[in-house]
Amino acid sequence: MKLILDGNVNVYYIQTLCMIFFPGEKFGAAEQEAPDAPMLSLRLRARNGGMEAAVTVTANGKSASATRFLEDSEHHTGEKTAKLVCGLAVIAACGQLLGYRPSWGMLTGVRPSKVATELLRQGLSKTRVKKILASEYSVIPKKAALATDVAINEQKIIGNPGRRDCSLYISIPFCPTRCSYCSFVSYTSRKLLDLIPDYLERLMTDVRQMAAKIRELGLRLCTVYIGGGTPTILTPDQLRRLLSTIAECVDVGALEEYTLESGRADTITAEKFAVAREYGVNRVCVNAQSLSDEVLQNIGRCHTAADFFRAFAVARASGIPYINTDLIVGLPGDHFHIFAKSFDQVVALRPENLTVHTFCVKKAADILRQDSHVYSLRGGDAGKCVDYTQLRAAQEGYRPYYMYRQKNTVGNFENVGFALEGAECRYNVYMMEEVHSIFAAGAGAVSKMVDYTPRGGGKPVIERLFYPKYPYEYLKDDSTGQKTAVMEAFYRQHGLLD
Ligand SMILES: C[S@@+](CC[C@H](N)C(=O)[O-])C[C@H]1O[C@@H](n2cnc3c(N)ncnc32)[C@H](O)[C@@H]1O
Ligand code: SF4
């Protein structure tokens, strides 16, 4: 795509905006010269206490233009006003040309609820925040309302984060087989699954070391999250070994929440959940994704809807109080009426948490090669499905409490976590909002050291520490001692222990 920019404009920002309408376009020298490439010209000027942007966009022999003016205000001046007004003009011109209004307007690469939170923190009312998201960020009104509701619910959960609060993440990147849509790192072949016993030994050593550092620094461990892959791939004995190790080094009774992600129905048994309950796990995930056997088969999920219902009943019977169920909108072969039925069937089971993802076409996923048409600008009827989940969830007493967006999702829609009142997954919010440190153990695990309220003021400070992505590499890694030393140094440097 060809860009002609006039004024003090950040070229990368304009490219990002163009990608909303022209996904996959490139902006190199060859495209600048290509006579039939889409073209966008933008002129930015300061005028009367604000900024004005004029945009003309041309593609396939047609053109559209738009000019927008935005006054500086108490919540944006200078550079920010310029960014917003460029966004407004690009969205208006491209929208006119292509007859498409992106639900999230110019919001890319930033969590919409984060923008809403920042505005709420400036003391603006809920109504005003929704209006600003709509008028200054071009977010459509129902999404502006969703982002604002999520921001308010998140803040209720976060409250005033303690400087010594933290959480622990434990990674089990193994699954019985690979689902065709998934690009998470997870080992599935027999040979690699044979690594599990060695992996567990190493993992338990790291968990002990991390937990020791948390105790030594006098931190308050709020939540533990065992995620995957599919953690219930472990046998009941392996699970007992892992959970008993955790129980030895963590005061499980003092946790706000303890999640075993579980996931796929074909790995869930009453015996495993009995072990989980015995060791204090209070939240599990039993994921449907879809309840159409045909769709489940399309995505290589290796279980049926009946298997999901059985696994859900096992979870309920175990007495573990919080169950989460994941669904995905926009899966290959899914349609509104099939999805709505899946959603209603899940809601009828009253899981405490309900997480609705939008299908994300990741490059590595096999599905891209099999079914490359699934990703479209408007997302087919995925938008209708997303709306349905938000409307029905509200009718059924579920509130949206966390939300994020990913690149390359069908129709550019969002992922939303819903919960019954008081049953929100706190780890998800802490992790997403980066309000306290996450100590992480296992392959692919990323620890985040967080100083949420730096002493001198300013934005939160975050330092990340990475374990190798793959279990094979993780088994050879010996960085845990070094990591815990860096963690301690972070706490001391930032005065978090004073
Ligand atoms: C880390 S995955 C693992 C959970 C578990 N292994 C399972 O499959 O049930 C967490 C969730 O991400 C979602 N997910 C995974 N791949 C996705 C994709 N390509 N697009 C949208 N959501 C996806 C699914 O809803 C999945 O339950
Ligand atoms: S079970 Fe979950 S993590 Fe494993 S391959 Fe399937 S979607 Fe990915």
Side-chain angles (χ1 to χ4, degrees), residues 68-246:
R68 292 290 182 271
F69 171 74
L70 194 63
E71 256 181 15
D72 285 329
S73 77
E74 73 277 12
H75 52 89
H76 58 75
T77 52
E79 208 179 315
K80 184 80 189 281
T81 310
K83 254 184 119 173
L84 291 174
V85 79
C86 287
L88 289 172
V90 171
I91 301 276
C94 293
Q96 202 181 312
L97 183 74
L98 300 173
Y100 163 60
R101 180 154 181 212
S103 305
W104 289 103
M106 70 185 78
L107 292 182
T108 59
V110 55
R111 268 175 311 103
S113 58
K114 192 170 181 193
V115 180
T117 302
E118 279 165 12
L119 293 167
L120 288 164
R121 286 214 181 113
Q122 292 172 31
L124 302 178
S125 70
K126 181 175 167 181
T127 314
R128 184 106 169 80
V129 171
K130 283 193 263 182
K131 276 199 183 133
I132 290 176
L133 285 174
S135 63
E136 294 181 7
Y137 291 84
S138 277
V139 174
I140 65 170
K142 64 185 170 198
K143 300 294 182 196
L146 172 68
T148 312
D149 286 346
V150 167
I152 290 170
N153 291 333
E154 274 175 346
Q155 289 315 306
K156 278 188 200 149
I157 294 164
I158 292 168
N160 283 325
R163 289 170 73 76
R164 290 184 185 229
D165 289 355
C166 69
S167 288
L168 176 63
Y169 179 82
I170 299 167
S171 165
I172 311 280
F174 296 93
C175 296
T177 56
R178 185 143 201 96
C179 309
S180 58
Y181 62 94
C182 178
S183 63
F184 283 84
V185 171
S186 193
Y187 274 13
T188 51
S189 74
R190 190 64 263 159
K191 190 167 153 245
L192 296 171
L193 291 176
D194 286 345
L195 289 177
I196 290 179
D198 289 346
Y199 181 85
L200 263 188
E201 287 308 316
R202 165 67 201 275
L203 183 67
M204 289 186 294
T205 309
D206 286 350
V207 168
R208 283 190 199 100
Q209 282 198 57
M210 295 273 177
K213 189 51 73 182
I214 290 171
R215 274 198 315 274
E216 195 186 313
L217 296 178
L219 308 182
R220 186 177 84 94
L221 186 60
C222 301
T223 70
V224 172
Y225 194 104
I226 306 174
T230 303
T232 33
I233 190 166
L234 301 181
T235 64
D237 280 350
Q238 289 169 334
L239 195 60
R240 181 179 290 283
R241 275 178 55 67
L242 175 65
L243 299 184
S244 63
T245 300
I246 297 170

Side-chain angles (χ1 to χ4, degrees), residues 36 171 254 287 292 320 433 494:
D36 51 353
S171 165
N287 296 330
S292 151
I320 293 171
E433 288 301 303
H494 288 265

Side-chain angles (χ1 to χ4, degrees), residues 19-24 98 100-103 329-332 358-361 368 371-383 405-413:
M19 299 278 272
I20 300 174
F21 294 90
F22 300 95
L98 300 173
Y100 163 60
R101 180 154 181 212
S103 305
V329 162
L331 286 170
T358 301
F359 180 44
C360 172
V361 186
L368 188 62
D371 200 351
S372 55
H373 66 276
V374 292
Y375 175 64
S376 75
L377 200 59
R378 293 169 183 77
D381 63 10
R405 291 175 66 213
Q406 283 170 293
K407 280 188 183 161
N408 299 340
T409 56
V410 173
N412 262 314
F413 294 114

